[in-house]
């Protein structure tokens, strides 16, 4: 379990990293927190000619609130999100999801940008990005490009980032007052990639659902955003019947595969069940005053 | 000395002597040992489960910088190195020269100046395989016209035996109740934290080798290498340094155990091989996988009449550990009066990594079958499962009890163990909780399991030497190394008790064949009874020598002396005493002059050497106990949550209660994970599908509840301290215990648990097939 030979670069700045990437492009792999890449290297499942290690690039590690948006530098460790108390108000769905990623040791090293760029359809952060309809900023030789969440994930472990670009920032919209949220998942063990996970948020406005977002992990090549469900929720009253119908739409919309951990049938069932549970919990939170005033629950 | 007199050190939960170095990261494993000029080896393994090796081209690998040698099976065969030496199991090919029979079987080995170079070399070895038909499951192996797993074997059933007693057919004819079932237990493996590894260093002085190896049995490795390499045993020194877990998987007879020492001699350079985790998944012995068809006959009142069982065990490509079948057969009847019994066992060959001993080594499966069937009986006759067990236990007054199979249960109070577990777990309270939960539409279940465990029955004897040092401390040498069992602590406690010495004054060395001439090893829960028995007796011999030397120093008769608090003194006369230190200096004198000045000299009339060696042979000791688990099932997702786990555990005299508690808790984790998590999944082509810890799930602390352990102590009459083994009792009953609880939780739905592991997907499917959860079918509300 020893990696094959590679050249190693440790740039100190984003500009330097982009320059290296421009030089090596397809031959290079970017090392962020290393939680996925290092095992792949050690098992010789990938053999890049060049490794560009971003861990010394300070200008990619930040967390800040801009106008209506939470902006996260791609090299921000997951633990830093977990410990940023202000995010409980600005982006509680992210906070709930980040606690479900692996274990503390993994979150200490794992980065937000790494998880987004790796694009594992079972991972939590891509689903949060997708459900919230956020965006990803990428940097290349040609400058900055912003890619909407809906266009970012192409298929398994594949994104719209070009070989000479790297993910520099994740942008998540701040939900309006009266919003509720929930991340539900079923994992075999605490800390595992979930078999299926559901990221959900909805906003209540005078007894009716306003904005709503739903993204499902583990049921396709990317986090699956279910537009038909969201459309059904918008403008409806937050009743059990509506949530059941929305979860039924989820089951219709997805086409999961069977794998080692679960059959397609079970995944489809879980997607429906967890959608229901997530919507119930999100609605309860929204009803209690929403994101602005509620502390994170279960 | 009588047991009642030993109360001071044995039975104390003293802190583990070995902990400080482990906690500081200062343990020393094979991977930590480097010697000058050391080469590193990488074993190239077959990607096919069954194939003919048509040819191997090594030139490109050999041409790489740093690569020293590439060896194939053909080259080894020319040297006469074909099969492992025969010791415990069957002989295995070292490198298969013509045909490979499982994915992971060695095909070639690359030796290089560094591991990186060796890995690069392995990628350049070209092997031309002609794939052959694959048999990857018991069902496939037994199918009509199934291809043969081994070309020279007449059948895919490699071992077959029928054991039993009584008149089973008559018992079934007369029975009021008959329950029957088919059960499947998946393939799993021990997964020690430290993978296997071996470093072999040529020794020009002996013309042989020194070998460091992560093993449970260094002396057996020495014997095997002596036979294999045609060397006298004195030329083979085997050292087991710190070993990071074994659970049966580091017993003798792996191809690499022979290959690496051979290479060291062949190249006349030190050679090390460290198994990596991906290799471990396909090249270290696996276990567990069995299919059972069982019938149980009983009277209406719950009295057991007969068990008629047939089972098939997936042995992998070589039936190298047939005794696993015997342990299933003998464990099944358990702590009960069972008048009639028949068990037909079949060891089935498949194109997979062979199975071997894995914590329990066949016993958990035997217990699983019996305890599942006792629960089914309780359900059939409508009597509480605890009561059915009570009505069938062998009583304490019957001890020692020889079963109709001819094995002797030496001591124990099986009913007491069950009652104690019921009490500790709060059985009545949980039954109330269960009733309340059911009325709320939640699914809580309680599982029971009683068990016996034969400990110390494997292996012919164990050896120990005790030596008084010049500083007055005592060193114990043993043939039983620790792979986590705390021997440095518990052996020291036994010696300290026997010699009347503070435990800090005893050090234990159980790692090196050069320090003790004979030894057998650590397996089959044998150390607490047999290895410490040898320690006890060696200390007795040491005591006799100490008295001889002290008698000369004190001008008294040896029989008038006693050992008290680190001194040897004339009985009742504290003033006439020599300290252990004085005795150690005198008895180990190296000079005719006092060294240091004033140190006592060897008195006239006695010979030096204050030490003793003893060998312990004895019969198997039977530990016993009972487990209770409480689970809650989420019927929407099929997830099982363990709410509580309680154990009453009786391994005779407790040497160190906290060590035993740790053994039991770790054992429970292994057992629970066989029910809920672990399954080595192979496809029809014999490819392992989940060969990483992402996909093969081991339990972590966050997956387990607090495991409460209550100790009972019914000493064994067969060991000097009364101790019995404690290594596997945590695992054996845990399989049935948790499966019983899951089935109990879902009893209102009539769900039947027939297959392990019980994954969420499988359980959800079973719930759905049983008609689903009526209360919850339409809502997302969860069981909390």
């Amino acid at each position: 379990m020893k990696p094959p030979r590679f050249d190693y670069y440790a740039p100190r700045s984003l500009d330097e990293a982009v320059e290296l990437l421009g030089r090596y492009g397809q031959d290079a792999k970017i090392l962020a927190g290393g939680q996925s890449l290092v095992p792949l290297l050690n098992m010789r499942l990938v053999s890049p000619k060049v490794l560009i290690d971003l861990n010394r690039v300070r200008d990619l590690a930040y967390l800040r609130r801009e106008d209506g948006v939470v902006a996260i530098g791609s090299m921000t460790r997951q633990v830093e999100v977990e410990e940023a108390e202000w995010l409980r108000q600005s982006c509680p769905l992210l906070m709930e999801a980040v606690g479900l990623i692996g274990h503390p040791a993994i979150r200490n090293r794992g980065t937000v940008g790494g998880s987004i760029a790796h694009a594992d359809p079972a991972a939590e952060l891509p689903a949060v990005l997708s459900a919230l309809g956020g965006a990803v900023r990428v940097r290349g030789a040609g400058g900055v490009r912003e890619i909407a969440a809906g266009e970012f994930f192409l298929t398994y472990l594949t994104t719209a980032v070009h070989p000479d670009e790297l993910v520099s920032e994740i942008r998540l919209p701040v939900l309006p007052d009266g919003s509720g949220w929930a991340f539900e998942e079923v994992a075999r063990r605490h800390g595992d990639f979930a078999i299926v996970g559901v990221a959900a948020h909805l906003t209540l406005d005078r007894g009716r659902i306003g904005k709503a977002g739903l993204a499902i992990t583990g049921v396709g090549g990317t986090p699956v955003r279910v537009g038909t469900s969201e459309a059904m929720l918008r403008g409806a009253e937050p009743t059990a019947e509506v949530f059941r119908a929305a979860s039924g739409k989820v089951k219709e919309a997805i086409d999961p595969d069977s794998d080692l951990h679960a059959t397609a049938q079970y995944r489809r069932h879980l997607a429906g069940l967890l959608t229901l549970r997530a919507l119930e919990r999100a609605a309860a939170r929204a009803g209690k005053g929403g994101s602005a005033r509620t502390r994170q629950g279960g | 000395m009588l047991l009642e007199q030993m109360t001071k050190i044995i039975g104390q939960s003293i802190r583990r002597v070995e902990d400080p170095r482990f906690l500081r990261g200062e343990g020393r494993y094979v991977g930590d040992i480097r010697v000058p000029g050391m080469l590193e080896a990488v074993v190239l393994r077959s990607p096919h489960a069954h194939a003919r090796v048509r040819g191997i081209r090594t030139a490109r690998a050999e041409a790489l910088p740093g690569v020293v040698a590439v060896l194939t099976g053909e080259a080894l065969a020319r040297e006469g190195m074909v099969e492992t030496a025969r010791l415990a199991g069957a002989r295995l090919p070292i490198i298969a020269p013509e045909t490979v029979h499982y994915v992971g079987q060695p095909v070639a080995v690359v030796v290089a100046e560094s591991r990186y170079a060796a890995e690069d070399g392995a990628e350049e070895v070209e092997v031309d395989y002609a794939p052959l038909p694959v048999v990857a499951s018991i069902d496939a192996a037994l199918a009509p016209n199934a291809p043969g797993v081994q070309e020279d074997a007449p059948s895919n059933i490699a071992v077959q035996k029928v054991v039993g007693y009584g008149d089973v057919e008559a018992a079934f004819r007369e029975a009021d109740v008959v329950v029957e079932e088919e059960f499947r237990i998946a393939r799993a493996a021990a997964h020690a934290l430290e993978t296997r590894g071996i470093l072999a260093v040529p020794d020009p002085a002996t013309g042989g080798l020194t070998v460091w190896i992560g093993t449970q049995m260094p002396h057996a490795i020495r014997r095997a290498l002596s036979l294999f390499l045609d060397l006298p045993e004195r030329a083979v020194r085997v050292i087991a340094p710190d070993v990071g877990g074994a659970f049966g998987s580091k017993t003798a007879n792996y191809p690499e155990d022979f290959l690496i020492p051979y290479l060291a001699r062949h190249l006349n350079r030190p050679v090390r091989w460290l198994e990596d985790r991906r290799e471990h998944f396909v090249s270290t012995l696996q276990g567990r996988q069995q299919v059972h068809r069982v019938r149980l006959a009983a009277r209406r009142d719950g009295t057991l009449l007969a068990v008629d069982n047939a089972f098939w065990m997936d042995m992998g490509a070589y039936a190298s550990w047939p005794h696993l079948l015997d342990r299933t057969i003998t464990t099944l009847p358990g702590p009960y009066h069972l008048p009639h019994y028949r068990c037909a066992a079949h060891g089935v060959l498949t194109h997979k990594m062979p199975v071997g001993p894995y914590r329990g080594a066949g016993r958990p499966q035997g217990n699983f079958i019996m305890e599942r069937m006792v629960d089914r009986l309780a359900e059939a006759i409508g009597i509480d499962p605890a009561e059915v067990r009570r009505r069938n236990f062998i009583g304490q007054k019957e001890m020692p009890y020889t079963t109709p199979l001819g094995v002797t249960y030496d001591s124990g109070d099986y009913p007491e163990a069950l009652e104690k577990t019921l009490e500790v777990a709060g059985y009545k309270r949980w039954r109330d909780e269960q009733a309340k939960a059911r009325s709320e539409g939640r699914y809580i279940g309680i599982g029971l399991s009683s068990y016996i465990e034969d400990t110390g029955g494997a292996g012919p004897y164990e050896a120990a030497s005790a030596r008084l040092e010049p500083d007055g401390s005592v060193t114990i040498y043993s043939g039983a190394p620790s792979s986590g069992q705390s021997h440095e602590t518990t052996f020291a406690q036994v010696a300290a008790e026997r010699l009347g010495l503070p435990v800090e004054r005893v050090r234990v060395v159980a790692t090196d064949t050069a320090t003790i001439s004979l030894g057998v090893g650590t397996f089959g829960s044998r150390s607490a009874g047999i290895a410490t028995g040898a320690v006890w007796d060696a200390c007795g011999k040491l005591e006799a020598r100490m008295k001889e030397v002290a008698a000369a120093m004190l001008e008294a008769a040896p029989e008038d002396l006693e050992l008290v608090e680190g001194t040897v003194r004339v009985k009742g006369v504290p003033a006439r005493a020599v300290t252990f230190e004085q005795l150690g200096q005198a008895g180990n004198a190296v000079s005719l002059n006092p060294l240091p000045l004033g140190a006592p000299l060897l008195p006239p009339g006695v010979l030096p050497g204050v030490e003793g060696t003893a060998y312990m042979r004895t019969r198997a000791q039977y530990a016993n106990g009972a487990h209770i688990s409480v689970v809650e099932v989420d019927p929407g997702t099929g997830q099982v949550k363990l709410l509580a786990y309680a154990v009453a555990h009786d391994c005779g005299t407790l040497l160190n209660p906290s060590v035993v508690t740790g053994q039991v808790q770790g054992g429970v984790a292994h057992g629970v994970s066989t029910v809920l998590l672990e399954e080595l999944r192979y496809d029809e082509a014999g490819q392992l599908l989940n060969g990483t810890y992402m996909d093969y799930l081991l339990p972590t602390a966050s997956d387990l509840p607090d495991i409460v352990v209550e100790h009972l102590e019914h000493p064994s009459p067969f060991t000097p301290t009364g101790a019995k083994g404690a290594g596997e009792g945590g695992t054996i009953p845990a399989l049935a215990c948790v499966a019983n609880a899951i089935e109990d939780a879902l009893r209102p739905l009539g769900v039947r648990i027939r297959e392990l592991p019980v994954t969420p997907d499988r359980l959800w499917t079973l719930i759905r097939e049983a008609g689903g959860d009526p209360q919850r079918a339409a809502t997302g509300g969860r069981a909390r």
Side-chain angles (χ1 to χ4, degrees), chain B residues 7 18 160 319 518 689 778:
Chain B
T7 53
E18 43 279 84
Q160 193 165 9
L518 282 175
L689 301 176

Side-chain angles (χ1 to χ4, degrees), chain B residues 687-701:
Chain B
Q687 297 289 342
L688 180 63
L689 301 176
N690 54 348
T692 73
Y693 287 145
M694 286 273 287
D695 291 325
Y696 182 85
L697 308 181
L698 295 174
T700 66

